[in-house]
Amino acid sequence: FVCWLNRNVNRVRRQCGLPYLPLPIVAKSRIEAALTYIEEFETRVITSARESGFDGHICGHIHFGALREIDGIRYFNDGDWVEHCT
């Protein structure tokens, strides 16, 4: 439903000359449970990389692209290449 709503809202925004607004990202970024899940996921990924002796971890499709270092481990998340092209 959110993807359908996003397409239709942005169709109207485009007709009004307004920029694209990624509604799913806006909604997810404001939902505390989603943010907590993402933070816990990143922690598990970093812990796993460290315990396995890796310098970093590449993962994706949490809809939030990221390139950063957490506790000396590089964390790369490609975001979402289909809906939002992050």
Side-chain angles (χ1 to χ4, degrees), residues 6-56:
N6 186 57
R7 283 190 297 273
N8 287 293
V9 165
N10 279 293
R11 183 178 305 121
V12 172
R13 288 179 63 83
R14 191 171 38 252
Q15 291 170 349
C16 294
L18 297 171
Y20 178 78
L21 178 66
L23 292 180
I25 290 178
V26 171
K28 288 176 187 175
S29 68
R30 294 173 191 235
I31 298 173
E32 188 172 342
L35 294 175
T36 299
Y37 173 82
I38 291 168
E39 183 178 327
E40 290 172 357
F41 171 80
E42 291 174 351
T43 301
R44 287 192 308 271
V45 165
I46 295 302
T47 300
S48 175
R50 181 180 296 104
E51 290 173 354
S52 299
F54 297 122
D55 295 324

